[in-house]
Amino acid sequence: MGTMSVVGKTLALDADGHLANRADWNEDLAREIAAQEGIPLLTPQHWAVINYMRTIFEKEGDAPSIRRLTKESGVDTKTLYQLFPKGPAKRASKIAGLPKPKGCI
Amino acid sequence: MRHLLILGGGTAGTMMANKLAPVLDEQEWQMTIVDISEKHYYQPGFLFVPFGTYSLRDTVKPRRQYLPAGVKVVISGIDHIEPGRKEVVLSDLSTLKYDYLIIATGADIHPEQTEGLLDEEWGKSKFDFYTPRGTERLGQFLKGWQGGKLVVSITEMPIKCPVAPLEFLFLADAYFTKRGMRDKVDLHLVTPLSGAFTKPKASQVLGDFLERKKITVTPDFGLARVDSKEKKLVAWDDTEVGYDLLVSVPTNMGDACIERSGLGNELNFVPTDKETLLADGLENVFVIGDATNLPSSKAGSVTHFQSEILFENFLEHIEGRPMTARFDGHANCFIESGFGKGLLIDFNYLTEPLPGEFPLPGVGPFSLLKESSINHYGKLMFRWTYWNLLLRGIELPIGSAMSMAGKRA
Ligand SMILES: Cc1cc2nc3c(=O)[nH]c(=O)nc-3n(C[C@H](O)[C@H](O)[C@H](O)COP(=O)(O)OP(=O)(O)OC[C@H]3O[C@@H](n4cnc5c(N)ncnc54)[C@H](O)[C@@H]3O)c2cc1C
């Protein structure tokens, strides 16, 4: 399993390259992961999605699918893909410090 | 008299009826099973129909023939479930009461969920191989096809048998090679996943296979709409992939009766305890097979492992004892790789598919994550196993819990 280095700290990653320990996560780290994912700036709309994902994970133990994000977060699919190019559920969960959604099996 | 009602007489419903019939006392129990059709399809066989290996007739048998004597068979649509009243309402609005309910209504494809997918070109230049009609029409079309760009498109995860789209491409490669026209066919996979499969190691191995067989992959493609006139797939980020022949694996959803019951998630899959298989928040209701929202693959083999867990838990539950069996997400899938060869993967919730031998370390006879002829025979044998052992609830020599024996991490 891999690791990532940020400001002198080495953090463990899972097999999918997401943070292995959720306790490692904070908002600065989110910005760092986002930058590595090619998203240089997290806007309030990004944060709305990230926070929504964290809330659902907290409650249900799994991050929501794109379909559910569209249905419940108030951000439509097209915009989700603009905010988190290539795979909104995967990308947003990675930035949110959560494992890859299990719906992707 | 206690009443057990099973909704859906497919793989899971039939297996549960056959497992429970011999152990539930007839004096005390009435078992009823509801399904909309008299025909039971062996769905894994759909993969082989387009290439003429099986005809559609080879994949179907009378449903009742596989159900135990003593179980009441009701052929009818299910309208909805009323868990509060412990009742199920059928299409003609008659009701069936239950004390215990097993939901096994499976999953089906929904092309209408994607803009432009289900139109007058459906069945002409766009096909599916997940339904009896779809796979048969595709077979007829392929016979006369002169070549071009064949695109297999996965709309959205999860899908039944997540390796089936890859197998389709491997078999297409062999089929067109045999017909002496492989050079006229461009094979292409368009997927919302980041690679060939959902789990990293298998994704790499299968990705190498695709490359070797000259099958192009477009990963991370979120399909927004299909343009039938221009014959192209358009993603949410406006990237496009053109096709001559589209083989679509549309959005898979649980049955509409789940939605009408207000029980499903955004894809009409029923929230289910991933270890006990009890429906979340409902009394005396179990869920099994493709109908669940579990993070395990939607496959017949998974359903089989679940049936052993559900059997134990059901018997404990009706006696008021705590349920002790725990489902670990075990899946065991043969993957056809074409030219009489196949691969095998074995995994669960926590352990991804690994290389090795199966089921006996160092011996096999099956090899994991590696191509071999015996794996191909394993897959062909699966049809016989399905009708004669699996559905009848007879134990297979593979335990419901995944084993690490023979696997190399
Ligand atoms: C192309 C393809 C290839 C596959 N290959 C493999 C493979 O190689 N290996 C493997 O293990 N698995 C494979 N599978 C998956 C496997 O077939 C399914 O996972 C399995 O059949 C699931 O069983 P189930 O009982 O949950 O659903 P099903 O067997 O689909 O049964 C559901 C039943 O419920 C009934 N029903 C649903 N709604 C209603 C309603 N409202 N009213 C009345 N009746 C209703 C249906 O008529 C159906 O009979 C494949 C599937 C497909 C489509």
Side-chain angles (χ1 to χ4, degrees):
Chain A
M1 250 136 265
T3 55
M4 76 179 275
S5 305
V6 268
V7 284
K9 271 214 298 196
T10 305
L11 305 176
L13 302 178
D14 65 17
D16 298 307
H18 292 221
L19 276 191
N21 307 307
R22 273 198 302 136
D24 288 341
W25 189 86
N26 58 48
E27 295 195 352
D28 285 332
L29 188 57
R31 288 186 194 95
E32 187 88 20
I33 301 171
Q36 290 179 7
E37 291 286 303
I39 304 170
L41 181 74
L42 290 179
T43 65
Q45 227 178 354
H46 284 103
W47 282 111
V49 175
I50 293 168
N51 290 329
Y52 169 77
M53 288 198 108
R54 289 182 60 83
T55 311
I56 294 293
F57 190 92
E58 210 52 57
K59 266 201 289 205
E60 301 175 15
D62 191 13
S65 65
I66 298 176
R67 187 174 272 265
R68 177 147 175 219
L69 274 171
T70 307
K71 223 170 157 181
E72 294 179 10
S73 73
V75 183
D76 64 47
T77 313
K78 179 112 195 151
T79 313
L80 277 175
Y81 272 91
Q82 281 161 358
L83 294 171
F84 302 98
K86 292 287 171 198
K90 257 175 306 197
R91 279 260 163 95
S93 62
K94 190 167 183 182
I95 296 168
L98 307 171
K100 192 167 106 178
K102 299 200 185 90
C104 304
I105 29 124
Chain B
M1 204 66 163
R2 290 200 275 181
H3 211 133
L4 164 63
L5 181 56
I6 302 179
L7 301 183
T11 313
T14 302
M15 265 184 322
M16 287 320 298
N18 282 317
K19 277 180 172 299
L20 289 169
V23 297
L24 297 180
D25 184 351
E26 278 174 47
Q27 307 297 321
E28 214 187 306
W29 285 88
Q30 167 67 55
M31 200 196 303
T32 305
I33 191 160
V34 189
D35 201 289
I36 199 163
S37 137
E38 292 275 7
K39 289 181 181 166
H40 186 147
Y41 282 99
Y42 170 64
Q43 299 174 44
F46 294 166
L47 174 68
F48 298 95
V49 173
F51 309 110
T53 317
Y54 291 165
S55 71
L56 196 57
R57 246 181 305 129
D58 295 331
T59 66
V60 65
K61 303 243 187 197
R63 192 177 304 284
R64 287 172 198 267
Q65 194 179 313
Y66 290 87
L67 291 167
V71 59
K72 191 174 156 204
V73 183
V74 176
I75 299 296
S76 160
I78 298 153
D79 191 76
H80 69 280
I81 304 161
E82 292 201 14
R85 309 166 65 144
K86 295 217 169 100
E87 257 175 29
V88 169
V89 180
L90 302 181
S91 295
D92 64 2
L93 301 184
S94 63
T95 57
L96 292 172
K97 289 220 167 276
Y98 67 80
D99 298 299
Y100 296 88
L101 185 70
I102 296 178
I103 301 177
T105 42
D108 212 345
I109 59 162
H110 286 268
E112 81 287 352
Q113 292 281 322
T114 302
E115 188 186 328
L117 187 53
L118 192 66
D119 59 14
E120 64 286 348
E121 281 296 310
W122 187 250
K124 290 186 186 140
S125 58
K126 300 183 288 189
F127 297 85
D128 77 274
F129 66 95
Y130 269 50
T131 58
R133 189 165 152 68
T135 197
E136 192 173 42
R137 277 196 301 210
L138 178 55
Q140 280 153 5
F141 179 87
L142 282 184
K143 275 187 210 155
W145 197 45
Q146 296 302 311
K149 185 170 175 187
L150 187 165
V151 173
V152 172
S153 151
I154 302 171
T155 306
E156 184 173 353
M157 298 302 284
I159 56 171
K160 297 200 259 195
C161 195
V163 291
L166 302 176
E167 296 182 279
F168 182 92
L169 284 159
F170 296 151
L171 291 176
D173 170 60
Y175 171 83
F176 292 119
T177 304
K178 270 181 215 142
R179 278 182 51 187
M181 56 182 282
R182 181 63 181 89
D183 56 332
K184 294 196 182 65
V185 179
D186 181 8
L187 293 174
H188 207 115
L189 173 69
V190 176
T191 170
L193 297 172
S194 299
F197 190 60
T198 53
K199 315 258 177 171
K201 275 214 179 72
S203 184
Q204 199 188 337
V205 172
L206 293 166
D208 289 347
F209 262 86
L210 289 164
E211 204 177 311
R212 241 185 297 148
K213 292 175 191 288
K214 300 200 168 53
I215 299 165
T216 318
V217 182
T218 302
D220 295 320
F221 191 92
L223 180 64
R225 64 188 173 87
V226 179
D227 186 331
S228 287
K229 285 214 181 62
E230 306 238 328
K231 290 201 168 164
K232 62 185 185 189
L233 305 172
V234 184
W236 290 105
D237 63 6
D238 295 323
T239 51
E240 298 176 352
V241 174
Y243 64 84
D244 296 307
L245 168 58
L246 181 67
V247 177
S248 166
V249 181
T251 301
N252 282 213
M253 296 175 80
D255 192 78
C257 72
I258 302 299
E259 188 180 22
R260 289 192 292 269
S261 312
L263 293 180
N265 67 8
E266 68 277 15
L267 287 168
N268 299 343
F269 294 125
V270 186
T272 306
D273 187 288
K274 66 191 250 234
E275 294 184 330
T276 63
L277 305 180
L278 212 50
D280 284 351
L282 299 181
E283 202 189 330
N284 294 352
V285 181
F286 289 91
V287 199
I288 180 169
D290 295 349
T292 71
N293 76 332
L294 297 188
S296 47
S297 286
K298 295 199 181 297
S301 65
V302 177
T303 306
H304 161 73
F305 298 132
Q306 288 174 352
S307 76
E308 298 188 341
I309 303 296
L310 181 50
F311 176 74
E312 285 181 42
N313 281 346
F314 185 83
L315 295 181
E316 288 170 335
H317 190 65
I318 58 174
E319 287 175 4
R321 288 185 284 144
M323 293 181 284
T324 53
R326 296 282 176 269
F327 181 56
D328 70 353
H330 190 188
N332 179 279
C333 304
F334 287 105
I335 306 173
E336 274 297 285
S337 53
F339 301 100
K341 296 217 168 128
L343 289 88
L344 177 64
I345 53 177
D346 192 70
F347 58 106
N348 69 9
Y349 287 143
L350 297 173
T351 310
E352 61 165 321
L354 297 169
E357 296 81 34
F358 185 87
L360 300 175
V363 177
F366 301 114
S367 47
L368 293 168
L369 256 186
K370 213 177 107 209
E371 203 179 34
S372 76
S373 313
I374 187 125
N375 289 339
H376 162 71
Y377 290 109
K379 177 99 185 188
L380 292 186
M381 268 295 287
F382 191 54
R383 182 169 60 139
W384 184 89
T385 307
Y386 183 85
W387 294 116
N388 296 290
L389 303 178
L390 209 80
L391 287 186
R392 300 199 190 276
I394 295 170
E395 290 220 6
L396 301 186
I398 308 170
S400 60
M402 196 202 75
S403 157
M404 279 305 282
K407 294 195 170 73
R408 288 187 290 275

